[in-house]
Amino acid sequence: MYIWLIGLHVTAVTLWILGMSAAAILISALDATTAAEPGPARLLRAAYRWERRVTSPAMGLAWLLGITLVVVGGWGFEPWLVAKVIIVTALSALHGKLAAGLRRLGQADARPVSPLLRFSPLAVIAGAIAIVTLVVVKPY
């Protein structure tokens, strides 16, 4: 049963990170003026629908399964796990900012998003690499 939980958790995390990556790339590539054009606006609305239907539920499932794995596996408060939870929490917050950015840019009166979101693709990749490294290596 535990191995199935791991497989489902990895699948949910993969969908979540892929959805965040797509949103981050779109937001970093488009400004409010370009986003208001018909083609990009349609793409942003489609990405926001994907965000609501796939990426957000995948994030919730990843959290649920992750907590279940900790309890079932008896991991406790291992230092690597605490570090992972901190990074996952930061990625969750970034996910909220990206979802809001997709919504704002996809509206008819596209409003600018935070200039810091231009670096969000890098943050998503760095966070994912850090998490995988912590889980595989368990350095401390």
Side-chain angles (χ1 to χ4, degrees):
M1 165 93 171
Y2 189 77
I3 196 76
W4 285 101
L5 290 174
I6 292 172
L8 289 172
H9 178 68
V10 169
T11 301
V13 168
T14 301
L15 286 171
W16 175 33
I17 295 300
L18 288 174
M20 280 186 65
S21 297
I25 291 167
L26 277 172
I27 288 171
S28 66
L30 298 171
D31 59 16
T33 306
T34 308
E37 296 172 7
R42 188 170 47 250
L43 182 61
L44 286 164
R45 285 191 302 274
Y48 184 63
R49 280 193 307 275
W50 180 266
E51 158 61 34
R52 285 191 335 260
R53 295 176 184 166
V54 177
T55 307
S56 286
M59 180 188 73
L61 188 59
W63 268 102
L64 180 68
L65 290 168
I67 292 168
T68 303
L69 286 167
V70 167
V71 171
V72 171
W75 285 102
F77 292 100
E78 308 270 339
W80 68 267
L81 185 58
V82 172
K84 176 188 173 187
V85 169
I86 291 169
I87 297 167
V88 170
T89 302
L91 282 175
S92 297
L94 178 58
H95 170 257
K97 295 298 260 180
L98 290 170
L102 283 176
R103 186 186 73 247
R104 290 174 69 174
L105 285 175
Q107 293 172 340
D109 60 336
R111 295 176 294 161
V113 296
S114 169
L116 290 177
L117 287 180
R118 300 276 178 236
F119 301 103
S120 58
L122 177 62
V124 172
I125 292 168
I129 289 170
I131 288 169
V132 169
T133 302
L134 286 169
V135 170
V136 172
V137 176
K138 294 180 181 60
Y140 45 89

